[in-house]
Amino acid sequence: MENGSWTGMLGDVYRGEKQMTINYFTVTRQRAQDFDFSVSYFTEGCWVSWPIIHRFGITLLVPVPYPRWTSVVRPFTGPVWAATAGLLLLATAFLYALAKRRIPAIDAFFLVLMRMFLAAWWVAGFVLVVCYTGNLIAVLTVPTFPSRIHTIEELAESPYRLCMHDFGEFVPEALATATEWALFTLGAKLDLAPFIPEMPYEGAEGCVEMVLAGTHAQIDTLSYMEVLYINLGHGSRIYTMKEQVYKGNLAFVFQKGTPWKFKFDDGLQRMVEAGLVHKWYSDLMGEFKMGIEEQLQDLCFHHQGSSSQLQSLTLAHLQGPLYLLLTGLIISTVCFIGEQLMYFLAFTTASGDFPLQGR
C-alpha cells in the first residue's frame, strides 16, 4: 500500500488485471479488507513442533569466539573459581595451623572440625581436578563463544540496532506503535534497507551488510532469511533468536468476492492435512542447503587442494596451557631468587660479612 493504493502484484489483482497471486503473502487485516485469502497453505518457524507457526524472526551475527588463551579458565564459571580459591586459602590456613600449632587456643573440638574440613576438601579437590581436566580437553578443541541473545528483551537492552528490507510489510509500523516496551524500543532502533529492484536481491544486501558488520540484527520471515544468507555464503555466520516476533499464515490472494476460491481452499486443505506441503518444504530446503554446501566444499577444495574436515591440534589450541606454564615458570623463578636473596641477607646480617669472604 503506497499513497492509499495497492502496488505490485497485489495492485494487479486489486485492479482486476490478474485474478489471483501466489507469493510469500501473510494474512493481515489491511489486506483482508480488499482481498480474499485462501486457507493457509503453510506455516513455519524454527523452535516449535508441528503445527509449525509462521513468524517474523530475528537473525544476528554469531559472536566472535573467545581468544584461545582463555581456554584455561573456561571450564569453570566465575563463581566456581571464586569458591575454589576461597576454599583453597582456607585449607592452606588450616594446614599451616595444624603443622605449626601457632594458634594456642585450638582445642580438641576445633581440631576435629579442621581435620574434617581438610578431609572433605581433599575429596572436593579430587572431583574439581577431574572435572576441570575433562572440560579442558573439550574446551581446547572446540571454540568457546559468548552468550547469544535469544529474547526480545535482551535484544532491546543490547547495543544492536534493527534492520529490515523495506519491501512493504507491516512490521515497521507495528513495531513503532507497539505497546510492549521491548517491541517499541526495537521499533525506535529500526533502520530500513531501501528496496532496489536492480540489485540481485532487490536491496536486501544492505541489511545483510549491517548484520555482518555486527551492528544490526535483521527482522524478516525466517525462510527468506535462511535462503538469503545461505545463498550469499554466510549461512554459518548467523543464527536465529529462539524468541520470535509476529506469527501469521501464508495464503493465496484473490480478488474480493471470487466465487471459485473454495476450489483452491479444498485442494490446499487436503495437501496440508496430508503433510505434503511440509514434506515438500523440507525436501526443497534440504536440497538447497546441500547444493550450496557442496559448492562451498568444491571451492575450498579448489583453493586448498584438500577437502578434509579433520584438524590436528596446533600451538594455537594450546595457548592457554602454554601461557599458564610460562606464568608458573616466571613465578617459580621469582620465588627462587627471593629465597636466595633472603638467605643471603640473613647470612650477612648474622656474620656481619659477606658469606664468600675468607674463602
Side-chain angles (χ1 to χ4, degrees), residues 88-101:
L88 180 61
L89 292 176
L90 187 60
T92 302
F94 283 178
L95 282 173
Y96 182 81
L98 290 175
K100 300 296 185 179
R101 298 293 179 91

Side-chain angles (χ1 to χ4, degrees), residues 156-356:
E157 295 172 352
S158 73
Y160 284 101
R161 295 185 62 83
L162 200 63
C163 69
M164 184 176 184
H165 187 207
D166 189 13
F167 58 92
E169 268 292 356
F170 67 96
V171 175
E173 182 181 357
L175 289 175
T177 57
T179 57
E180 192 172 334
W181 167 82
L183 295 176
F184 180 79
T185 302
L186 293 179
K189 298 194 296 182
L190 178 63
D191 297 321
L192 295 176
F195 183 84
I196 308 174
E198 296 78 17
M199 298 187 68
Y201 298 95
E202 300 177 325
E205 300 91 334
C207 222
V208 173
E209 292 177 359
M210 298 180 194
V211 173
L212 297 180
T215 59
H216 287 68
Q218 182 176 358
I219 181 171
D220 215 313
T221 48
L222 293 177
S223 291
Y224 173 75
M225 287 193 292
E226 187 175 10
V227 171
L228 176 64
Y229 281 89
I230 292 176
N231 216 22
L232 291 174
H234 304 303
S236 61
R237 299 183 61 187
I238 53 97
Y239 73 97
T240 302
M241 280 176 37
K242 292 182 179 179
E243 185 178 3
Q244 299 158 18
V245 186
Y246 296 108
K247 71 177 181 180
N249 298 279
L250 300 180
F252 295 175
V253 183
F254 301 86
Q255 284 182 302
K256 198 72 174 177
T258 299
W260 37 265
K261 183 180 76 72
F262 74 95
K263 289 289 187 180
F264 283 84
D265 290 344
D266 183 62
L268 289 173
Q269 189 68 33
R270 290 172 182 268
M271 288 190 293
V272 170
E273 291 179 353
L276 295 176
V277 178
H278 184 65
K279 177 66 166 58
W280 294 333
Y281 175 84
S282 301
D283 291 345
L284 287 171
M285 290 298 290
E287 293 173 2
F288 174 71
K289 293 178 183 179
M290 187 177 300
I292 296 296
E293 290 175 357
E294 288 178 354
Q295 294 178 16
L296 293 176
Q297 289 179 2
D298 293 341
L299 184 63
C300 292
F301 180 80
H302 176 73
H303 286 289
Q304 300 178 3
S306 174
S307 59
S308 175
Q309 299 295 324
L310 298 178
Q311 182 182 8
S312 302
L313 283 177
T314 64
L315 291 178
H317 294 94
L318 302 175
Q319 285 184 17
L322 289 177
Y323 289 157
L324 187 61
L325 175 62
L326 181 61
T327 303
L329 291 175
I330 293 175
I331 293 176
S332 60
T333 303
V334 171
C335 291
F336 174 76
I337 295 175
E339 291 177 352
Q340 295 301 314
L341 288 176
M342 291 178 62
Y343 167 76
F344 182 82
L345 293 175
F347 189 88
T348 303
T349 303
S351 61
D353 201 351
F354 289 101
L356 297 181

Side-chain angles (χ1 to χ4, degrees), residues 135-152:
N135 288 340
L136 182 62
I137 294 174
V139 171
L140 288 178
T141 54
V142 179
T144 307
F145 294 86
S147 299
R148 297 184 179 185
I149 296 175
H150 281 303
T151 66
I152 302 299

